[in-house]
Amino acid sequence: YSKQKNFLMSLSHELRNPLNSMLGNVQLALFEKASASISEYLENAQMCGELLLHLINNILDSGKLEVGDLEVHSTNTNVHKLFERIWSISSRLITQKGLTGTFKISKYVPAFIELDGYRFTQILLNLIGNSVKFTDKGSISVKVEWLQNEKYISDTCFHPIPFDSENEGVFEKEEVLTTTGIDNEYAVLSPRKRVGMESFHTSENQHGVLKLSVMDTGCGISEVDQQKLFKKFSQVNSESSKRKIGTGLGLYITNELCKKMNGEI
């Protein structure tokens, strides 16, 4: 087992270097003047490369977690730019599957937050990627909120909204913020429309809780299967899926990363 693990880790490292080089060249090619079709091919190649790199990083991090070697390095990070980068990858993945998607960011989210941008990206891509895998039709919605005032922060404000099988308009009833007293004003990123966050004015040196919600109209998860979600190599059987999808590592790693970043999922 240890030999197989060492081989897999070594192979993952060897794969990552040429993949990073390829992605760098694709990015340079995108800066050049090209026809719309060529640009689209390059953007698709970039998306596939980013997702493959993300998968390789999950495999590497799984090995690091086993030996207690997974590290988190927090720095003052421009999260607005981070959200735009994450959505540029995710939105193409969503539209390619014929789904619709939106990414809403509260105006109260500071432009800079002390966190590990690489790990934060890994968490969101794992969650959005899961939504895409298990949603065959409908929508995927991502919402980012900043809970600054302690009186608005409680266990209940982090409870997921249950899916209503009789009324699938889940996104119409998702506005939990109305119960917290925080004003609902967002910048919205979507595949066809981008509203910039330049006009957002947030004060510096805030303390608060960053809340991320990923909602979809996918197959859902039974209460029994929810107990398996964060176990390594565990996958939930879905009636709508005849085959296993993914590696079973994404949510395991996401859960561990959230803990290391003083959060929870």
Side-chain angles (χ1 to χ4, degrees), residues 64-80:
K64 287 179 180 179
L65 277 167
E66 281 196 8
V67 295
D69 197 30
L70 188 69
E71 295 180 345
V72 170
H73 301 287
S74 294
T75 57
N76 199 24
T77 304
N78 186 333
V79 291
H80 288 184

Side-chain angles (χ1 to χ4, degrees), residues 21-34 42 46:
S21 177
M22 185 196 77
L23 283 170
N25 280 289
V26 169
Q27 186 65 53
L28 288 172
L30 281 167
F31 289 133
E32 300 291 329
K33 288 182 180 178
L42 287 169
Q46 184 184 40

Side-chain angles (χ1 to χ4, degrees), residues 4-192:
Q4 288 177 333
K5 190 172 75 174
N6 288 337
F7 169 73
L8 190 60
M9 295 285 284
S10 174
L11 180 63
S12 298
H13 276 293
E14 292 298 319
L15 285 170
R16 194 158 60 168
N17 291 334
L19 188 53
N20 274 320
S21 177
M22 185 196 77
L23 283 170
N25 280 289
V26 169
Q27 186 65 53
L28 288 172
L30 281 167
F31 289 133
E32 300 291 329
K33 288 182 180 178
S35 66
S37 59
I38 295 295
S39 294
E40 187 178 351
Y41 296 151
L42 287 169
E43 285 175 359
N44 285 336
Q46 184 184 40
M47 179 197 72
C48 293
E50 293 274 9
L51 292 172
L52 182 55
L53 184 61
H54 178 66
L55 175 62
I56 291 168
N57 287 335
N58 273 350
I59 295 169
L60 281 171
D61 288 338
S62 159
K64 287 179 180 179
L65 277 167
E66 281 196 8
V67 295
D69 197 30
L70 188 69
E71 295 180 345
V72 170
H73 301 287
S74 294
T75 57
N76 199 24
T77 304
N78 186 333
V79 291
H80 288 184
K81 289 191 179 299
L82 206 59
F83 292 140
E84 288 182 338
R85 180 179 177 275
I86 291 167
W87 194 239
S88 73
I89 299 168
S90 304
S91 62
R92 288 200 291 273
L93 194 62
I94 289 168
T95 52
Q96 275 194 353
K97 198 170 178 184
L99 305 169
T100 58
T102 55
F103 196 119
K104 296 165 62 177
I105 303 156
S106 165
K107 72 173 187 178
Y108 296 105
V109 176
F112 287 85
I113 298 179
E114 195 80 15
L115 51 75
D116 187 324
Y118 167 68
R119 296 301 185 190
F120 184 77
T121 300
Q122 199 172 2
I123 287 170
L124 257 181
L125 284 181
N126 276 336
L127 295 176
I128 297 170
N130 259 24
S131 274
V132 175
K133 285 175 195 171
F134 294 100
T135 302
D136 291 327
K137 60 180 180 178
S139 306
I140 290 168
S141 172
V142 183
K143 186 162 65 173
V144 184
E145 301 158 40
W146 182 252
L147 308 182
Q148 186 182 353
N149 194 321
E150 284 187 9
K151 72 178 181 179
Y152 298 140
I153 302 172
S154 66
D155 287 343
T156 55
C157 77
F158 297 106
H159 287 174
I161 301 110
F163 183 78
D164 183 354
S165 59
E166 293 181 2
N167 175 19
E168 292 191 8
V170 66
F171 300 118
E172 280 70 42
K173 65 188 184 74
E174 46 119 271
E175 298 297 346
V176 248
L177 284 186
T178 53
T179 63
T180 68
I182 300 175
D183 190 15
N184 273 326
E185 293 182 44
Y186 297 88
V188 179
L189 307 179
S190 70
R192 295 180 183 83

Side-chain angles (χ1 to χ4, degrees), residues 225-262:
D225 284 335
Q226 284 173 29
Q227 308 307 314
K228 308 175 190 173
L229 276 183
F230 305 113
K231 293 178 181 175
K232 190 176 182 184
F233 298 123
S234 175
Q235 291 182 314
V236 172
N237 289 319
S238 163
E239 290 179 6
S240 65
S241 176
K242 294 181 180 178
R243 62 187 179 87
K244 294 284 188 179
I245 305 174
T247 60
L249 291 173
L251 287 181
Y252 162 69
I253 291 166
T254 299
N255 187 35
E256 295 301 319
L257 287 175
C258 284
K259 286 192 239 176
K260 283 185 174 287
M261 294 172 76
N262 298 318

